[in-house]
Amino acid sequence: MATASEVGVNGEKRAMISPEYLESKAVLETKALLSELCRHFYGLGWVSGTGGSITIKVHDDAIPKQNQLVLMSPSGVQKERMVPEDMYVLSPDGSILSSPIAKPFPHKPPKCSDCGPLFMKAYQMRDAGAVIHSHGIESCLATMINPSAKEFRITHMEMIKGIKGHGYYDELVIPIIENTAYEYELTESLAKAIEAYPKTTAVLVRNHGIYVWGDSWIHAKTQAECYHYLFDAAIKLYQLGLDWSTPDHGPIRNVKEVVVAGSNNGASSKRCIVLDIEGTTTPISFVTDVLFPYARNNVRKHLSLTFDTAETKEDIALLRSQVQDDLEKGVAGAVPIPLDDSAKEDVIAALVANVEAMIKADRKIPALKQLQGHIWLTGFENNELKGDVFDDVPRALERWHASGIKVYIYSSGSRLAQRLLFGNTKYGDLRKYLCGYFDTAVGNKRETRSYVEIRESVGVDKPSEILFVTDVFQEAVAAKAAGFDVNISIRPGNAPLPDHHEFKTIQSFSQI
């Protein structure tokens, strides 16, 4: 009996390329699955006219994903009539190991998918388990609504939740590359798009279709269905004169100019505004005197009540990793956390001690911010917390939104915490005016590269089209170095600014 793996030159297991393994149960079942999916996708209109293609890796627990065999559907054939024997088998590097037998006229001689080089890029650059190339009309038309757009953007749609790493309130961004006469000629531009958009799981090809990948065939299929739904929704909203890229999906507007005086070039138009929270939209005292104490006073209760939930286990794992790093660096206040098999009370006591020290030091670290967000979620749900913003903020958000300006939040607090604050204010839910949220996952707020990442995410041609408003001088300097226009917010309780700084200051959003 053939084994499923052999040892490679680096000691890694890899697929044994033998006649026996090519006829193994895992390979045969994947071939059958591939032909079944082709028939299903034909019914959806994704692979009609012999267009489109699918590829799946042969899952084998004994073999690392990067070393698993690759199965691909052939090119130029009736996808709805394919059978398992029609599939190609490729090595992990894309070499053909097994080809289908030629069929008599009127069938064409077998040919491996023209999408092969593009599929391999998704495997190599994203460690995908399956890739789908669809010619669905929705994916084609979505690229034609704005012929000059380099991205497709949509937000506040339920099906966004089906895309890896995204939630309802997030803005989904999909890069668009230009079509070519031959499929293989797209390989380089697709690779560049994958590299430029590290969070994307799809690339649109203008006037052509879409490539979608996932960790498994189920994940790729689920996401492909969600993408096509969202494209269809955008097309229908466009036909109704409604804007799919804004939170309230109101009437499509021509973007008006928001003029910001005091910039280096006199007056400049802005397409996006990125807002800090603490000291900019919200009093510093709300964070220091309300949110932080609430998290500190409720951390033990929260951990005790939710200790065995998957969410809290993830929070604890992040804290363990952070504390271990702190101990190695000699960070003040860090104490060892007992192992998982220790008494629950001992683990919680150590976690509380570390969290209290982190809060006292006002550390901007993901492990603390994630736990705080989950604690605050309970507070907002129980009406024990209410988001606080300055009186001029709701009016400005509404005004900018009406002008077609996209507004984003960038805060050291988690995206969950940001959504909770703006979703639960005395002025109601302000999230309808916000297009997206950034936290320290994009980088430290005092580092220029963080603003470069934001610039690449919000879809502007020039960084000067973005206005960043903050109360922190060092953040202003970093944003300016990335090409942003910057205003510094002067609010009660904010720290003093250096003398002779060069930034325009505002006391109210009404001044923008």
Side-chain angles (χ1 to χ4, degrees):
M1 179 180 295
T3 58
S5 62
E6 63 181 0
V7 178
V9 293
N10 295 321
E12 277 191 322
K13 288 186 176 181
R14 65 189 182 195
M16 176 181 285
I17 304 171
S18 67
E20 292 82 4
Y21 188 66
L22 293 179
E23 295 298 322
S24 67
K25 180 180 178 181
V27 173
L28 295 179
E29 287 183 346
T30 306
K31 284 184 175 182
L33 173 63
L34 205 55
S35 62
E36 177 187 347
L37 289 175
C38 282
R39 289 192 296 274
H40 175 62
F41 293 159
Y42 176 82
L44 295 175
W46 295 1
V47 293
S48 59
T50 77
S53 190
I54 316 171
T55 175
I56 303 175
K57 285 201 169 184
V58 178
H59 178 73
D60 190 325
D61 289 329
I63 301 172
K65 184 187 289 186
Q66 67 268 24
N67 294 329
Q68 292 171 357
L69 295 183
V70 174
L71 265 61
M72 282 188 196
S73 60
S75 180
V77 300
Q78 305 292 320
K79 298 296 191 296
E80 76 279 15
R81 296 180 59 84
M82 289 195 302
V83 293
E85 291 75 20
D86 292 330
M87 306 306 166
Y88 280 83
V89 182
L90 285 71
S91 68
D93 64 5
S95 303
I96 296 177
L97 303 177
S98 173
S99 303
I101 298 174
K103 297 180 179 180
F105 180 85
H107 297 282
K108 294 181 178 179
K111 176 186 176 185
C112 193
S113 175
D114 290 333
C115 308
L118 292 91
F119 286 154
M120 295 309 300
K121 287 297 182 182
Y123 283 136
Q124 295 161 3
M125 299 178 71
R126 284 291 191 269
D127 195 27
V131 192
I132 298 168
H133 175 43
S134 165
H135 284 192
I137 188 64
E138 307 95 334
S139 61
C140 183
L141 293 178
T143 69
M144 301 168 70
I145 295 175
N146 182 352
S148 64
K150 301 300 182 183
E151 301 165 331
F152 172 87
R153 292 172 173 266
I154 192 168
T155 187
H156 285 63
M157 294 288 287
E158 180 68 14
M159 293 295 273
I160 291 176
K161 292 162 61 175
I163 307 302
K164 181 180 179 181
H166 290 77
Y168 172 79
Y169 296 106
D170 293 328
E171 183 179 43
L172 176 65
V173 181
I174 310 167
I176 302 174
I177 61 176
E178 300 303 322
N179 195 26
T180 56
Y182 299 99
E183 198 90 29
Y184 69 87
E185 294 175 340
L186 294 168
T187 306
E188 183 178 354
S189 56
L190 180 125
K192 288 181 178 178
I194 292 176
E195 183 177 5
Y197 293 80
K199 297 177 183 178
T200 193
T201 56
V203 173
L204 282 161
V205 184
R206 196 181 312 281
N207 306 344
H208 182 149
I210 188 172
Y211 284 84
V212 183
W213 55 87
D215 298 335
S216 66
W217 71 268
I218 293 177
H219 191 204
K221 175 178 176 289
T222 299
Q223 292 194 120
E225 291 168 349
C226 292
Y227 280 123
H228 283 78
Y229 175 98
L230 293 167
F231 299 148
D232 188 44
I235 294 164
K236 288 183 168 68
L237 287 168
Y238 178 72
Q239 292 170 334
L240 293 170
L242 302 177
D243 191 345
W244 60 95
S245 66
T246 58
D248 67 349
H249 306 307
I252 295 174
R253 307 176 182 89
N254 292 323
V255 176
K256 300 175 184 177
E257 290 187 346
V258 170
V259 177
V260 183
S263 65
N264 291 336
N265 298 317
S268 59
S269 62
K270 302 295 163 235
R271 293 180 56 198
C272 297
I273 297 177
V274 179
L275 302 173
D276 170 52
I277 292 180
E278 186 179 352
T280 300
T281 67
T282 298
I284 288 179
S285 59
F286 175 71
V287 178
T288 59
D289 300 342
V290 178
L291 289 182
F292 284 178
Y294 184 89
R296 183 176 59 248
N297 296 336
N298 286 277
V299 61
R300 184 182 299 274
K301 177 182 176 182
H302 175 82
L303 291 173
S304 297
L305 292 176
T306 64
F307 190 80
D308 294 320
T309 65
E311 183 178 85
T312 296
K313 286 181 178 179
E314 181 182 342
D315 291 345
I316 292 174
L318 279 176
L319 286 167
R320 282 187 183 279
S321 176
Q322 182 63 56
V323 170
Q324 182 60 39
D325 186 59
D326 290 349
L327 290 169
E328 292 173 359
K329 294 178 179 178
V331 175
V335 298
I337 300 174
L339 299 176
D340 287 330
D341 57 1
S342 304
K344 172 181 173 181
E345 293 75 14
D346 294 339
V347 175
I348 291 176
L351 288 168
V352 170
N354 281 288
V355 169
E356 289 179 344
M358 292 173 181
I359 293 175
K360 184 178 180 180
D362 191 20
R363 298 183 65 186
K364 314 292 187 183
I365 49 178
L368 173 62
K369 297 302 179 182
Q370 179 168 304
L371 176 63
Q372 285 177 321
H374 291 145
I375 296 173
W376 291 331
L377 174 60
T378 301
F380 281 106
E381 288 179 341
N382 294 338
N383 291 319
E384 296 171 347
L385 291 172
K386 182 68 73 173
D388 191 4
V389 297
F390 292 109
D391 292 341
D392 55 276
V393 171
R395 293 192 299 273
L397 292 178
E398 183 177 10
R399 173 165 52 87
W400 297 332
H401 178 71
S403 297
I405 305 302
K406 293 188 174 183
V407 182
Y408 299 84
I409 302 298
Y410 181 28
S411 171
S412 58
S414 67
R415 294 193 301 169
L416 170 61
Q418 296 173 35
R419 292 194 295 267
L420 289 171
L421 191 154
F422 289 101
N424 298 274
T425 76
K426 65 180 181 181
Y427 302 98
D429 189 345
L430 301 179
R431 292 175 298 185
K432 60 187 175 183
Y433 302 127
L434 303 174
C435 288
Y437 308 85
F438 297 100
D439 59 17
T440 50
V442 302
N444 188 290
K445 294 186 70 182
R446 301 188 180 196
E447 295 180 359
T448 298
R449 61 181 178 84
S450 306
Y451 299 90
V452 173
E453 175 70 21
I454 291 174
R455 180 190 71 199
E456 293 175 350
S457 299
V458 300
V460 296
D461 296 323
K462 302 176 182 178
S464 59
E465 294 177 308
I466 305 173
L467 171 65
F468 178 55
V469 186
T470 180
D471 65 307
V472 179
F473 174 73
Q474 293 87 343
E475 294 175 6
V477 171
K480 182 184 177 183
F484 287 28
D485 201 353
V486 181
N487 284 181
I488 292 185
S489 173
I490 306 296
R491 302 283 197 178
N494 287 8
L497 297 172
D499 294 335
H500 309 300
H501 69 82
E502 58 185 1
F503 295 102
K504 172 182 170 60
T505 60
I506 58 168
Q507 286 75 40
S508 167
F509 283 0
S510 64
Q511 297 174 263
I512 299 176

